[in-house]
């Protein structure tokens, strides 16, 4: 390889030109712009010694841009390549399989690499350059030397909660290809559906691939659609087709078969594998289920037979065996499980989890493969050769690497693409969380706690797409794009969070390619943020965007800003209850989603407010003024329009500034028992003219608050006062029988208004 580079350097001048950086994602390790440019011809002449499958892919991707012709001569061909013999270990321990050099001169394009995979990666770079210069047809001459930092650059797809067709899975694999990811983690089984045909156990797909109905809306609503889902699964022929498709793109498919937890769909088909008798049904709600595989011999025989078929279908070095979120409820009550713990001198049920995983590992190892599992496989002791996928945070990865086990980093806060990527109010319903593009881009897979030697055990990074709230493929596209691009650059090792803005510009350039492919990517990076500022005459509303503020337009009457809207000039005064809709435009074209903010203005809006107890740090949003900002709380936005108090009461005093007449007081308090949020126990309203002597004018109890479902509107008689004080009482200690029993309840309040 080095020889080729030397020759090429001599041929093509190494003078550096201060040209614009090419719009490449992931950005290569080194890019040197040289003299001149390659003019994209009408017909691109390909040397006929180019590796066939890889070149066919290139032709398919660029078929709308150029025609192609083959030539047996190197001389005169526009695209040539060389495969260089791989250096022999131990001459180098560097992994060169994905390394490539791409040289573009006015005369032509030359790629050198050690493998076809390297050649294929170079073609991805080349495709992006062709796409960038689709219009001007001139690619600046350059030389790129490139290779990834991390060996595992993965994307996961959950097909259990919602199923995606073979064609959709292939499209998904193409998205990985475009951005040089190399691992597709296929989450094939879970409580809500078993999606892979296993010949020996036909009931897995006959019974386990269906569920009675599916949960819809927010988890707390406990609402179901009443529609049977399935049977949906992949036949073994279809699995082979997908694996082959991925192989042609140098992508490894890692299958996941969940155990010992997340097994309810398997138990619905084979209830004898559980601790109790059943019968069981595939789950209809999301979450974690108590019924799991019982570690009896019969279960191990079953799992070994399943894994036999899986191993035959998937050539990957790693088989993912799940291992996450396995409640120990049934094992604690099961005679067999308890005997097994005693017989094997295990410490407890966590030891039994470890026993389970180690026994499976031994089997998988005996077939020449390795296991990888979610970080709970560390519980009770890690299996000797296992790799860890660190999702609950980074600690699992740190612990694994310190113990010289490989780890793939996929911490929820950075790598869960089922989270919101913009203000939830302007986004489709999602699982929760907030993981915008910039956050993904800021991630460094190497934890600071590791030294250089330990860091070598971090194999890479992956993002996960859980599909509880993703019912169709358009929404899959929306959730992965553009965040997949940030992941790609993080995994390639060329991300630079300080220069996020520059990355964002490259992302925007990639949108043109996605537009052509009709991909439904999220436009959240264009979205408008609004900020409420209290002033002497009520509140004003400031709009901002990470883009050019001249593109911000809005309406004040709730109408669609794409039809008739004003250019944003500065803070908007909000004198009465209205809805502000805003969006970002470029050349008259809508770029963002439409942000909508409804204001409910009352005599408290924008007034001075003080709180005796402060809200919890995570739920303190705009501080005390959140309660008088004119915004009624949105349940989807607990981190925004609400204040959350951990075990404390709301004791708020509002200063009207002058004597003010009113006869109605309102506020909302929230109930979401699953999240330990309880309605207020009581509320008291006081008035004062001197902020010292307060008179109680109204009091309500628990029953009234419950009957109103927390939406409180009270007749306050005829008042005229300078100060209003409210004491909204926290529910206190959570009673038995509720999630979080014996802990302090949360009290959430959004707004205190008077009319
Ligand atoms: C997981 O998110 N339960 C791995
Ligand atoms: Zn059991």
């Amino acid at each position: 390889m080095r020889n080729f580079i030397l020759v090429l350097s001599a041929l093509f001048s190494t003078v550096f030109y201060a040209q614009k950086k090419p719009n490449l994602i992931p950005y290569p390790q080194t890019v040197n712009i040289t003299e001149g440019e390659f003019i994209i011809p009408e017909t691109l002449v390909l040397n006929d010694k180019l590796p066939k499958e890889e070149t066919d892919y290139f032709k398919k991707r660029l078929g709308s841009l150029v025609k192609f012709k083959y030539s047996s001569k190197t001389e005169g061909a526009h695209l040539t390549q060389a495969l260089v013999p791989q250096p022999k270990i131990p001459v180098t321990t560097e992994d060169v399989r994905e390394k490539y050099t791409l040289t573009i001169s006015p005369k032509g394009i030359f790629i050198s690499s050690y493998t076809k995979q390297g050649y294929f990666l170079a073609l991805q770079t080349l495709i992006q350059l062709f796409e960038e210069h689709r219009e001007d047809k001139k690619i600046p001459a350059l030389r790129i030397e490139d290779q990834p930092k991390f060996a595992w650059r993965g994307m996961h797809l959950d097909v259990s909660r919602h199923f995606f067709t073979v064609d959709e899975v292939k499209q998904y694999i193409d998205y990985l290809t475009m951005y040089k990811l190399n691992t597709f983690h296929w989450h094939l089984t879970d409580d809500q559906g078993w999606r892979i045909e296993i010949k020996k156990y036909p009931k897995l797909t006959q019974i386990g691939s269906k569920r009675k109905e599916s949960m819809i809306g927010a988890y707390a609503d406990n609402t179901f659609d009443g529609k049977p889902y399935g049977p949906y699964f992949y036949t073994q022929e279809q699995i082979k087709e997908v694996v082959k498709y991925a192989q042609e793109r140098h992508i490894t498919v890692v299958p996941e078969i969940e155990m010992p937890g997340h097994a309810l769909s398997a138990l619905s088909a084979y209830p004898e594998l559980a601790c109790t008798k059943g019968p069981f049904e595939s789950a209809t709600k999301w979450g974690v289920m108590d019924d799991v595989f019982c570690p009896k011999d019969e279960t191990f025989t079953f799992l070994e037979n399943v894994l036999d078929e899986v191993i035959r279908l998937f050539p990957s070095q790693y088989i993912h065996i799940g291992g996450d979120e396995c409640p120990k409820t049934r094992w604690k009550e099961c005679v067999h499980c308890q005997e097994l713990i005693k017989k094997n001198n295990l410490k407890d049920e966590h030891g039994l989890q470890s026993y389970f995983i180690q026994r499976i590992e031994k089997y998988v190892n005996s077939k020449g493969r390795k296991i990888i599992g979610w970080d709970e496989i560390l519980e009770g002791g890690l299996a000797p050769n296992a790799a860890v996928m660190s999702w609950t945070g980074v600690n699992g990865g740190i612990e694994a690497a310190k113990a010289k086990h490989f780890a793939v980093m996929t911490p929820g806060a950075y790598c869960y693409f089922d989270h919101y990527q913009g203000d939830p109010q302007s986004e489709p319903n999602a699982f929760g969380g907030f993981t915008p593009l910039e956050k993904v881009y800021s991630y460094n897979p190497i934890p600071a706690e590791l030294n250089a030697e330990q860091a070598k055990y971090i194999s890479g990074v992956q993002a996960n797409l859980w599909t509880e709230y993703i019912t169709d493929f358009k929404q899959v596209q929306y959730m992965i794009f553009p965040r997949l691009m940030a992941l790609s650059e993080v995994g390639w090792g060329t991300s630079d969070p300080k220069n996020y803005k520059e990355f964002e510009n490259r992302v925007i350039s990639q949108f043109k390619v996605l537009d052509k492919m009709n991909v439904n990517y999220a436009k959240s990076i264009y979205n408008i943020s609004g900020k409420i500022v209290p002033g002497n005459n009520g509140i004003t509303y400031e709009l901002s965007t990470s883009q050019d503020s001249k593109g911000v337009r809005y309406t004040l009457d709730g109408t669609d800003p794409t039809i008739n809207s004003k250019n944003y000039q500065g803070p908007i005064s909000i004198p009465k209850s209205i809805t502000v809709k805003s969006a970002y435009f470029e050349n008259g074209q809508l770029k963002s989603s439409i942000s909508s903010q409804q204001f409910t203005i009352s005599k408290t809006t924008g007034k001075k407010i003080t709180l005796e107890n402060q809200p919890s740090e995570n739920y303190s949003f705009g501080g005390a003024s959140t309660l008088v900002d004119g915004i009624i709380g949105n349940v989807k936005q607990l981190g925004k329009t609400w204040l959350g108090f951990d075990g404390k009461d709301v004791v708020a005093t509002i200063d009207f500034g002058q004597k003010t007449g009113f006869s109605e007081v309102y506020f909302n308090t929230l109930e979401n028992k699953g999240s330990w949020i309880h309605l207020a126990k009581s509320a008291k309203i006081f008035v004062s003219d001197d902020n010292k002597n307060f008179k109680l004018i109204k009091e309500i109890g628990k029953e009234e608050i419950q009957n109103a479902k927390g939406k409180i509107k009270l007749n306050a008689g005829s008042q005229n006062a300078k100060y209003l004080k409210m004491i909204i009482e926290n529910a206190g200690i959570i009673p038995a029988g509720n999630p979080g029993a014996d802990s302090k309840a949360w009290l959430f309040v959004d707004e205190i208004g008077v009319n």
Side-chain angles (χ1 to χ4, degrees):
M1 174 107 138
R2 186 153 301 135
N3 287 341
F4 278 94
I5 292 165
L6 284 176
V7 170
L8 292 167
S9 307
L11 278 176
F12 311 127
S13 154
T14 51
V15 179
F16 296 155
Y17 291 86
Q19 287 239 22
K20 185 174 145 283
K21 278 173 85 168
N23 279 319
L24 296 169
I25 295 178
Y27 202 73
Q29 300 295 346
T30 62
V31 179
N32 291 324
I33 306 287
T34 54
E35 193 175 5
E37 50 212 8
F38 174 76
I39 311 287
I40 300 177
E42 206 166 296
T43 301
L44 196 75
V45 181
L46 307 173
N47 182 246
D48 66 2
K49 288 167 207 72
L50 296 173
K52 178 157 181 349
E53 267 175 8
E54 290 75 12
T55 309
D56 282 349
Y57 176 92
F58 173 74
K59 286 166 65 184
K60 208 172 96 194
R61 280 293 310 280
L62 291 184
S64 68
L65 183 58
V66 279
K67 296 194 198 69
F68 297 97
K69 194 171 90 184
Y70 278 103
S71 158
S72 60
K73 289 199 224 83
T74 318
E75 195 68 27
H78 292 122
L79 176 61
T80 52
Q81 65 86 44
L83 292 181
V84 185
Q86 286 195 49
K88 295 237 170 5
I89 297 167
V91 172
T92 173
T93 52
E94 185 193 14
D95 187 345
V96 296
R97 283 170 299 180
E98 296 186 295
K99 195 168 177 170
Y100 70 89
T101 302
L102 168 67
T103 311
I104 299 182
S105 79
K107 283 190 200 140
I109 302 156
F110 177 75
I111 294 168
S112 94
S113 64
Y114 292 94
T115 62
K116 288 184 183 177
Q117 184 179 10
Y119 170 66
F120 189 67
L121 290 168
L123 290 180
Q124 303 313 313
T125 306
L126 193 55
I127 291 167
Q128 287 190 0
L129 290 169
F130 269 77
E131 288 288 1
E132 185 183 352
H133 297 282
R134 197 175 251 278
E135 306 302 328
D136 67 6
K137 300 245 188 290
K138 285 186 277 195
I139 304 178
L142 50 72
R143 202 182 81 219
I144 289 172
E145 281 177 61
D146 205 10
Q147 75 186 112
K149 176 171 181 183
F150 293 104
W152 184 303
R153 304 181 306 282
M155 274 299 300
H156 149 290
L157 179 65
D158 167 13
V159 295
S160 174
R161 277 55 178 264
H162 285 101
F163 179 79
F164 301 95
T165 65
V166 167
D167 272 351
E168 289 165 343
V169 171
K170 285 179 175 173
Q171 283 179 57
Y172 197 81
I173 288 170
D174 274 322
Y175 303 149
L176 272 64
T177 306
M178 289 166 67
Y179 297 101
K180 298 191 177 85
L181 300 174
N182 64 2
T183 306
F184 171 47
H185 171 171
W186 206 357
H187 186 79
L188 287 162
T189 74
D190 213 305
D191 296 307
Q192 293 79 6
W194 183 282
R195 308 279 177 229
I196 172 173
E197 177 191 26
I198 300 295
K199 305 264 193 208
K200 201 170 179 106
Y201 300 107
K203 284 193 281 181
L204 283 172
T205 44
Q206 283 161 8
I207 296 172
S209 76
K210 299 186 276 195
R211 61 176 178 256
K212 212 164 57 191
E213 57 183 355
S214 309
M215 196 168 209
I216 44 171
Y219 188 86
D221 295 347
N222 208 35
T223 306
F224 297 83
D225 64 2
K227 293 185 209 147
Y229 191 83
Y232 293 130
F233 64 94
Y234 309 101
T235 64
Q236 294 205 349
E237 283 314 303
Q238 288 175 319
I239 298 266
K240 283 182 204 160
E241 188 184 327
V242 169
V243 169
K244 178 168 178 283
Y245 189 87
Q247 266 174 339
E248 286 165 5
R249 285 153 183 75
H250 298 278
I251 285 175
T252 303
V253 185
V254 175
E256 180 179 355
I257 305 295
E258 273 270 22
M259 64 189 81
H262 287 291
L264 201 52
S265 62
L267 299 180
S268 76
Y270 297 97
E272 61 273 23
L273 307 178
C275 290
T276 57
K277 258 177 70 191
F280 305 104
E281 285 183 346
S282 289
T284 56
K285 62 161 69 180
W286 321 128
V288 173
M289 312 296 152
D290 280 339
D291 290 298
V292 302
F293 284 122
C294 177
K296 45 192 162 192
D297 286 344
E298 193 181 353
T299 303
F300 287 106
T301 304
F302 165 86
L303 288 170
E304 287 168 12
N305 289 332
V306 167
L307 287 168
D308 274 349
E309 294 191 29
V310 168
I311 284 169
R312 277 201 295 275
L313 290 166
F314 294 92
S316 58
Q317 183 188 19
Y318 283 103
I319 303 294
H320 202 301
I321 50 78
D324 60 320
E325 299 179 319
C326 180
K328 309 299 183 288
T329 322
R330 295 289 181 263
W331 291 0
K332 278 187 183 147
E333 304 281 315
C334 170
V335 175
H336 168 78
C337 287
Q338 291 307 311
E339 276 175 3
L340 198 59
I341 289 176
K342 271 206 213 90
K343 197 174 114 197
N344 290 284
N345 281 324
L346 304 173
K347 201 159 150 253
D348 53 14
E349 291 74 23
H350 297 294
L352 191 52
Q353 154 112 356
S354 174
Y355 167 89
F356 197 115
I357 302 295
Q358 298 211 22
R359 199 160 149 179
I360 290 294
E361 178 183 67
K362 222 181 239 158
Y363 187 77
V364 172
N365 286 170
S366 79
K367 302 283 162 185
R369 307 293 184 90
K370 296 179 187 163
I371 65 160
I372 184 165
W374 302 109
D375 49 34
E376 290 96 324
I377 68 169
L378 286 153
E379 262 177 40
L382 193 53
N385 307 308
V388 170
M389 195 167 259
S390 191
W391 74 279
T392 57
V394 296
N395 288 339
I398 294 170
E399 193 181 329
K402 285 187 173 168
K404 296 187 164 39
H405 284 253
F406 286 105
V408 174
M409 304 306 286
T410 174
Y414 297 90
C415 297
Y416 269 39
F417 288 0
D418 55 341
H419 291 172
Y420 285 105
Q421 55 193 313
D423 182 344
Q425 190 151 300
S426 326
E427 295 283 330
N429 196 30
F431 186 80
F434 183 59
T435 307
L437 182 67
E438 186 166 6
K439 178 113 191 241
V440 181
Y441 195 65
S442 74
Y443 184 54
N444 178 0
I446 306 280
E449 290 85 343
L450 298 184
N451 64 34
E453 204 43 48
Q454 293 161 338
K456 288 182 185 157
Y457 287 93
I458 302 297
S459 328
V461 63
Q462 176 175 299
N464 299 328
L465 194 67
W466 303 101
T467 57
E468 287 94 336
Y469 295 94
I470 302 177
T471 56
D472 64 26
F473 195 64
K474 281 277 161 212
Q475 190 59 14
V476 167
Q477 296 173 331
Y478 186 90
M479 297 309 273
I480 64 170
F481 281 123
R483 290 185 286 195
L484 183 150
M485 298 185 205
L487 174 79
S488 144
E489 198 150 297
V490 165
W492 200 260
T494 50
S495 56
D496 178 7
K498 288 190 309 300
N499 283 323
Y500 167 73
K501 201 68 208 162
E502 185 275 329
F503 168 72
E504 197 181 83
N505 288 335
R506 282 184 283 128
V507 167
I508 288 169
S509 166
Q510 289 294 315
F511 283 168
K512 289 194 209 98
V513 179
L514 298 183
D515 280 333
K516 278 207 184 62
M517 297 171 68
N518 201 19
V519 170
N520 177 39
Y521 56 88
K523 300 173 180 69
S524 319
I525 56 171
Y526 292 115
N527 283 1
I528 309 288
S529 320
K531 188 171 156 222
I532 294 152
V533 184
N536 290 335
N537 297 311
I539 51 170
T540 57
Y541 192 45
E542 288 180 15
L543 301 179
S544 62
T545 167
S546 71
Q547 312 297 316
D548 182 359
S549 64
K550 287 197 197 75
V552 177
R553 300 186 66 84
Y554 69 98
T555 62
L556 296 179
D557 55 3
T559 58
D560 182 346
T562 58
I563 296 168
N564 191 3
S565 53
K566 285 191 212 147
N567 242 326
Y568 180 70
Q569 307 281 357
I572 305 164
S573 153
I574 311 285
K576 57 178 202 265
S577 297
I578 53 173
T579 296
V580 179
K581 287 197 173 174
S582 58
Y584 176 73
F585 295 81
E586 264 175 28
N587 306 320
Q589 206 189 353
L590 177 68
K591 287 284 178 177
S592 66
S593 42
I594 294 171
S595 299
S596 176
Q597 184 60 65
Q598 188 182 347
F599 289 93
T600 306
I601 303 300
S602 88
K603 289 176 179 171
T604 63
T605 310
K607 294 293 185 298
K608 213 154 85 194
I609 178 169
T610 49
L611 287 174
E612 262 172 46
N613 303 318
Q614 293 315 303
S616 143
E617 202 177 312
N618 285 341
Y619 296 101
S620 60
F621 185 44
S625 67
T626 306
L627 297 183
V628 290
D629 63 1
I631 296 183
I632 302 295
N634 178 334
V635 186
K636 272 165 85 179
Q637 293 182 289
L638 286 190
K640 284 196 78 173
T641 55
W642 300 81
L643 293 185
F645 296 82
D646 186 6
K648 292 184 206 152
D649 302 332
V650 172
V651 183
T653 306
I654 295 165
D655 178 355
F656 291 114
Q658 61 192 49
K659 272 174 95 84
T660 299
F662 64 90
S663 59
E664 180 189 80
V665 176
Y666 63 84
F667 68 94
N668 296 315
T669 152
L670 200 67
E671 181 166 54
N672 184 343
K673 288 182 174 167
S675 302
W676 305 14
I677 303 170
H678 288 248
L679 292 175
K681 195 152 70 180
S682 73
K684 293 193 186 86
I685 306 171
F686 306 84
V687 289
S688 167
D689 284 332
D690 58 5
N691 201 12
K692 285 196 190 85
N693 302 300
F694 282 90
K695 185 176 101 184
L696 179 69
I697 57 164
K698 186 90 186 174
E699 181 171 5
I700 56 167
K702 192 169 157 182
E703 202 165 309
E704 225 170 317
I705 294 173
Q706 278 176 348
N707 288 343
K709 294 194 163 63
K711 292 186 173 42
I712 311 301
K713 199 169 254 192
L714 298 169
N715 186 335
S718 178
Q719 303 298 331
N720 195 27
K722 192 159 177 278
Y723 296 92
L724 170 79
K725 181 167 170 176
M726 300 275 295
I727 301 180
I728 306 173
E729 194 188 359
N730 190 298
I733 299 299
I734 299 173
N738 290 290
D742 296 333
S743 299
K744 284 187 273 186
W746 283 86
L747 171 65
F748 272 75
V749 175
D750 62 342
E751 187 78 357
I752 297 171
V754 305
N755 284 313

